[in-house]
Amino acid sequence: MMVIVITVIMWYIYNNFAFSREVRAVGGAEKVATLAGIRVNKIKVQVFILCGALAGLAGCFQAARSYAATPIMGDGMEMDVIAAVVLGGTPMSGGIGSVLTTVLGALIMCILSNGMNIIGLSADIQKVVKGIILIFAVCMTVDRKRMGVIK
């Protein structure tokens, strides 16, 4: 239930506040954002504060779910998070993205992880499969025209 509430709040902020437009501008082209009058360092600090707050909230949810908390509880989840965001359609180059598609990417990663657990794949094989999916997703979202590969 809390995930839905947080998703709705973030979707509202993303679609209705200048902050989200500034974040997209900084993520897309930092130098252009500076020339447009956006205080890039301020936006970066605000994004890190928001990211830290949401990560702390996620840690609280994980601790409540498992009735325990350790400092290494979230180790190894970084690749899952990056894969979920990229599967949701946000390119690694930044500037484009959506809250709802990111949540959809996270759901896809959860379904994939649960499915691999159900069929009994080892943790090492699961990491390989997730890595292949991440590589495929990144290749699909790379803007080759922007990189100069395709003219």
Side-chain angles (χ1 to χ4, degrees):
M1 182 65 185
M2 286 302 295
V3 173
I4 294 170
V5 170
I6 292 169
T7 301
V8 169
I9 291 170
M10 294 309 297
W11 175 84
Y12 183 78
I13 290 171
Y14 186 79
N15 288 318
N16 296 312
F17 286 88
F19 170 74
S20 64
R21 289 187 295 275
E22 292 173 348
V23 169
R24 285 186 296 241
V26 170
E30 191 173 320
K31 289 182 181 180
V32 175
T34 303
L35 294 173
I38 297 172
R39 293 191 287 177
V40 172
N41 289 334
K42 178 184 173 188
I43 294 297
K44 285 182 179 181
V45 168
Q46 289 174 340
V47 167
F48 279 120
I49 289 170
L50 181 63
C51 181
L54 291 174
L57 190 61
C60 290
F61 289 155
Q62 182 68 21
R65 181 175 175 235
S66 62
Y67 300 111
T70 63
I72 59 169
M73 187 176 273
D75 281 358
M77 297 182 82
E78 300 88 358
M79 188 172 73
D80 290 351
V81 172
I82 294 169
V85 171
V86 173
L87 279 175
T90 303
M92 295 297 282
S93 57
I96 305 169
S98 169
V99 173
L100 297 179
T101 58
T102 300
V103 170
L104 181 64
L107 287 174
I108 291 170
M109 287 304 294
C110 286
I111 291 169
L112 180 69
S113 295
N114 285 339
M116 289 190 291
N117 283 333
I118 288 171
I119 63 173
L121 287 180
S122 69
D124 295 331
I125 301 295
Q126 288 185 25
K127 288 180 183 179
V128 170
V129 170
K130 290 176 185 177
I132 291 169
I133 290 171
L134 178 60
I135 290 169
F136 178 73
V138 168
C139 289
M140 296 304 291
T141 60
V142 168
D143 188 4
R144 288 185 260 195
K145 289 182 184 176
R146 189 173 182 185
M147 291 176 51
V149 176
I150 299 175
K151 304 231 175 180

